[in-house]
Amino acid sequence: MSDVDIRRAMDAGIEFIDLGAQRRRIGRRMDEAILRVVEHGKYIMGPEVAEFEKELADFCGAKHVLSCANGTDALGLALMAKNLKPGQAVLVPSFTFAATAEVVVWFDAVPIFVDVCADSFNLDPASLEAGIATARRSGLEPVGVIPVDLFGMPADYDEILAVAETHRLWVICDAAQSFGAAYRGRNVGTIGDITTTSFFPAKPLGCYGDGGAVFTDDDDIAGLLKSLRVHGQGSDKYDNVRIGMNARLDTIQAAVLIEKLRIFPEEIAERERAAAHYAALLEEKVTVPRVPSGLTSVWAQYTVRLPNGCNRDAVAAKLKAMGVPTAVYYTKPLHQQTAYRHYPAAGNGLPVSERLSEEVLSLPMHPYLDESTQGLIFEAMRMAME
Ligand SMILES: Cc1ncc(COP(=O)(O)O)c(C=O)c1O
């Protein structure tokens, strides 16, 4: 990369996630949608909330969709609906965002950390088996598993659902990063007993603040979730029949999401295009992510693995100096983090999670990333790795 190219990269102001580009495209429509809510004044559970839930259900094919305050509460609601009890064990991948395990601890239950596969970054079914054995050896009752669709690609559900069925575990899919993706003919939202997602602004479908949703085909669970979302209310609003939470999605966020959902299929296709172009550019320098046939990813992140011996911090610093922002998801697997290291890990440790946390680097990814910018990013990568 010449000095001129570096200046071009800096001038281009490469964004890690370019929400500004999306605003330039549909900002006016979103502003009008927000203003409509401000004018009708139904800020809580206004008509846009039910409309958005219906559109989400139509989009993915789930029978029931319940919007909620964020992806963490979505997981919490799902665990409440599953009646998770103190001391029970829930299997979770270690290579994920903290929320996946955090919610288990809310219930005084025990997260058992499971390893992931190096090529998919997703839960390893063999390690899941090992984790179930570890739980039993520790005298804990394993009741469920929370696979995560990391970086936008669904986990290996055929295998995971088979292991779960053998051991009578429920499956709550943490699809915070993967709403819009599909697994062998099934859309995310329709795969496990319950699916949860997040509309955090940086997610592929993100709002203008916090938001989330829970998906299920089970009528009883859907009824429970509805009550749990509003303090456990019964058919009489002031007769609360169970302990719940306040986890509603704001009407303004629903209005924003309705507009964003309209262009979401196009944006997914653009992410797919950007990912394919990255793979063509980068496959000889780094290990690029591959999506197995029959699956799709929504490319919440484009995460590569740097070769052995490559100094990631130095590469990231050089990229930053050339105007290319990067991020590391995740620098530490959960089983090594302060709040979680005393919980059990499957088998004899989680070597893949530990290795990935040293090798991964996420590059700019969003639907508005054009090929010339990707070319600059590739040139910068080449120089940074020299
Ligand atoms: C895998 C995973 N689970 C759960 C969450 C929690 O979502 P939220 O930030 O909306 O609470 C996130 C958010 O980053 C996530 O990536």
Side-chain angles (χ1 to χ4, degrees):
M1 211 180 194
S2 68
D3 286 354
V4 176
D5 285 337
I6 292 173
R7 206 160 316 120
R8 263 176 60 212
M10 301 284 251
D11 288 349
I14 298 174
E15 302 272 356
F16 188 68
I17 293 173
D18 194 351
L19 293 174
Q22 189 193 49
R23 254 204 84 69
R24 286 191 287 283
R25 179 173 172 197
I26 57 163
R28 241 203 33 228
R29 284 208 325 251
M30 286 198 285
D31 294 350
E32 285 165 6
I34 290 169
L35 204 59
R36 279 197 296 278
V37 177
V38 173
E39 278 167 359
H40 70 50
K42 298 188 179 82
Y43 305 120
I44 303 293
M45 300 306 279
E48 286 82 357
V49 173
E51 185 185 334
F52 174 55
E53 288 174 345
K54 177 166 184 333
E55 289 186 6
L56 275 182
D58 290 346
F59 187 94
C60 71
K63 188 166 176 199
H64 303 282
V65 177
L66 194 98
S67 62
C68 66
N70 55 67
T72 309
D73 282 0
L75 285 165
L77 286 166
L79 292 179
M80 274 190 182
K82 282 292 177 191
N83 197 19
L84 181 61
K85 297 202 178 72
Q88 291 181 327
V90 178
L91 290 297
V92 295
S94 181
F95 196 62
T96 178
F97 183 65
T100 315
E102 181 182 31
V103 290
V104 174
V105 181
W106 285 1
F107 294 80
D108 284 332
V110 182
I112 309 277
F113 291 110
V114 170
D115 215 352
V116 296
C117 300
D119 49 357
S120 68
F121 307 118
N122 281 332
L123 195 139
D124 176 356
S127 183
L128 175 58
E129 287 273 14
I132 294 165
T134 300
R136 294 208 170 109
R137 265 201 312 277
S138 316
L140 299 165
E141 177 201 5
V143 293
V145 53
I146 311 182
V148 176
D149 303 340
L150 209 70
F151 306 146
M153 190 179 89
D156 186 358
Y157 284 110
D158 283 344
E159 297 285 329
I160 292 168
L161 292 172
V163 174
E165 196 180 341
T166 305
H167 296 276
R168 296 173 183 280
L169 307 181
W170 45 249
V171 180
I172 295 175
C173 308
D174 181 349
Q177 304 182 11
S178 67
F179 184 71
Y183 179 88
R184 302 197 205 287
R186 280 175 286 173
N187 289 329
V188 164
T190 64
I191 300 172
D193 298 288
I194 305 179
T195 298
T196 64
T197 198
S198 164
F199 303 123
F200 184 81
K203 298 292 190 250
L205 181 64
C207 56
Y208 278 1
D210 277 311
V214 189
F215 305 80
T216 186
D217 282 356
D218 183 312
D219 298 345
D220 294 336
I221 288 177
L224 266 175
L225 288 168
K226 210 165 169 192
S227 161
L228 290 166
R229 176 173 65 176
V230 192
H231 306 289
Q233 83 180 14
S235 46
D236 173 346
K237 187 168 163 189
Y238 293 106
D239 183 20
N240 293 298
V241 295
R242 56 182 65 81
I243 301 301
M245 45 204 283
N246 173 9
R248 296 168 298 227
L249 179 72
D250 289 344
T251 312
I252 283 179
Q253 301 303 346
V256 167
L257 285 161
I258 288 169
E259 295 306 321
K260 289 209 187 190
L261 193 59
R262 288 189 215 290
I263 59 163
F264 192 42
E266 260 177 65
E267 290 195 332
I268 294 172
E270 287 301 310
R271 286 174 181 274
E272 185 59 50
R273 176 204 46 78
H277 192 56
Y278 260 146
L281 290 171
L282 289 163
E283 65 192 344
E284 276 166 23
K285 302 246 35 122
V286 295
T287 307
V288 297
R290 298 282 180 203
V291 178
S293 79
L295 276 67
T296 63
S297 172
V298 287
W299 301 102
Q301 301 294 341
Y302 191 83
T303 303
V304 301
R305 287 162 55 202
L306 299 181
N308 228 336
C310 186
N311 181 337
R312 180 179 60 194
D313 287 349
V315 170
K318 285 185 198 160
L319 287 170
K320 188 171 175 209
M322 288 185 271
V324 177
T326 60
V328 176
Y329 303 112
Y330 299 93
T331 51
K332 235 186 211 187
L334 290 181
H335 72 283
Q336 294 184 324
Q337 294 188 17
T338 309
Y340 299 99
R341 64 170 71 114
H342 58 285
Y343 292 111
N348 300 320
L350 310 180
V352 180
S353 297
E354 289 172 22
R355 200 176 78 227
L356 288 177
S357 67
E358 288 167 7
E359 291 178 353
V360 289
L361 187 68
S362 299
L363 303 180
M365 170 51 89
H366 56 82
Y368 305 94
L369 187 63
D370 58 53
E371 293 193 357
S372 73
T373 306
Q374 289 186 284
L376 287 170
I377 294 168
F378 167 65
E379 284 301 322
M381 275 289 274
R382 216 169 45 76
M383 285 181 64
M385 290 176 65
E386 261 168 16

